[in-house]
Amino acid sequence: MNRIIRNFVVFEGGDGSGTTTQLSLLEKRLAGAPGGPVFYPTFEPTGGPVGKLVRSALKKETSLLPETLARLFAADRAEHLFAPDGILDRCGRGELVVSDRYALSSLVYQGIECGDELPRLLNASFPLPELLFFFDIDPEIAHRRLQNRPVREIYEYPEFQQRVREKYKALLGGYEKAGVRVELIDAAKSAGDAAEDVWRALAACCTCGFFA
Ligand code: TYD
């Protein structure tokens, strides 16, 4: 059974589900809450060297086999977790770390592209968050939200996103069985309403103390 990291929270969802917006709304709200935890918002793919290579492949600037990309996502994650001042260090000293995407993204997206075995193997040893938010949205609505973005990334088309949604739903139960608290957020709501739901769920179950 994988270890659960206290104070580690993950936002997951299909493209256009609003995870990035929600993370910045949470950051603003915590900044305005005196006595709150030291907050470290972060994301994957990271801004590190491996994450940058991944992003160039997502934008089709670099051509890589899906299996290579799966390995790079996992390597980027290992840096994110284990490098000095990474997720483990920060959670260990009591910071509240919230990551926009983590290992479940690989099990879902690379699972669809490469089959389940490789991403499962590559991510098998990574510890789990104590709390995972799944931002659920109809891919058609999410697709409309993505229309204004200047670059279309490799996974941003509705047929793939439909499979992404189904695969998230199929895998969430396994996370719960492993001891991760899973919160489903209706991401078709306004950003403000979804942010309220996130705040309430954090208050109810985060062990960092601030919300207790
Ligand atoms: P992200 O920057 O979160 O995209 P967006 O802001 O558009 O939601 O993630 C970039 C893409 O990378 C997104 O399509 C999901 C994908 N991804 C994977 O396929 N595997 C992974 O392990 C991660 C972290 C992301």
Side-chain angles (χ1 to χ4, degrees):
M1 190 82 84
N2 293 53
R3 178 157 84 89
I4 303 245
I5 314 181
R6 272 177 64 122
N7 303 337
F8 182 35
V9 177
V10 166
F11 286 1
E12 290 281 0
D15 291 78
S17 62
T19 55
T20 308
T21 304
Q22 288 303 321
L23 191 57
S24 73
L25 289 174
L26 180 61
E27 185 176 14
K28 281 194 195 112
R29 187 155 182 180
L30 280 165
V38 176
F39 181 56
Y40 184 70
T42 185
F43 52 87
E44 293 186 4
T46 70
V50 184
K52 283 191 181 126
L53 179 55
V54 168
R55 286 204 185 268
S56 84
L58 293 174
K59 285 188 243 150
K60 298 177 223 159
E61 294 162 0
T62 307
S63 176
L64 294 172
L65 291 173
E67 290 76 11
T68 306
L69 200 50
R71 291 183 170 94
L72 289 175
F73 274 118
D76 184 44
R77 183 160 301 125
E79 289 288 324
H80 198 199
L81 277 163
F82 303 120
D85 284 334
I87 294 170
L88 281 190
D89 275 359
R90 289 176 181 277
C91 290
R93 53 185 190 241
E95 295 181 24
L96 174 62
V97 176
V98 182
S99 182
D100 180 357
R101 300 192 178 281
Y102 183 64
L104 186 55
S105 282
S106 281
L107 300 185
V108 169
Y109 285 75
Q110 280 62 61
I112 293 171
E113 272 220 312
C114 315
D116 290 334
E117 199 178 323
L118 179 66
R120 207 173 274 164
L121 209 82
L122 291 168
N123 290 277
S125 66
F126 293 140
L128 299 172
E130 68 170 317
L131 173 60
L132 182 147
F133 286 95
F134 172 57
F135 292 83
D136 187 34
I137 189 164
D138 179 339
E140 292 293 339
I141 300 173
H143 189 66
R144 285 202 287 278
R145 286 184 181 172
L146 292 173
Q147 291 304 309
N148 303 331
R149 291 199 190 174
V151 182
R152 176 75 53 91
E153 292 187 347
I154 57 175
Y155 302 127
E156 291 178 1
Y157 57 97
E159 299 76 20
F160 189 85
Q161 291 297 320
Q162 191 59 51
R163 295 177 68 192
V164 163
R165 187 186 200 194
E166 284 158 15
K167 201 156 181 73
Y168 267 117
K169 289 189 172 173
L171 295 179
L172 285 172
Y175 261 56
E176 276 181 315
K177 274 202 195 107
V180 178
R181 173 103 179 223
V182 173
E183 289 288 333
L184 206 118
I185 302 289
D186 175 3
K189 285 183 173 180
S190 73
D193 286 350
E196 272 307 316
D197 292 345
V198 169
W199 187 263
R200 261 196 304 272
L202 268 173
C205 54
C206 191
T207 60
C208 73
F210 171 64
F211 301 97

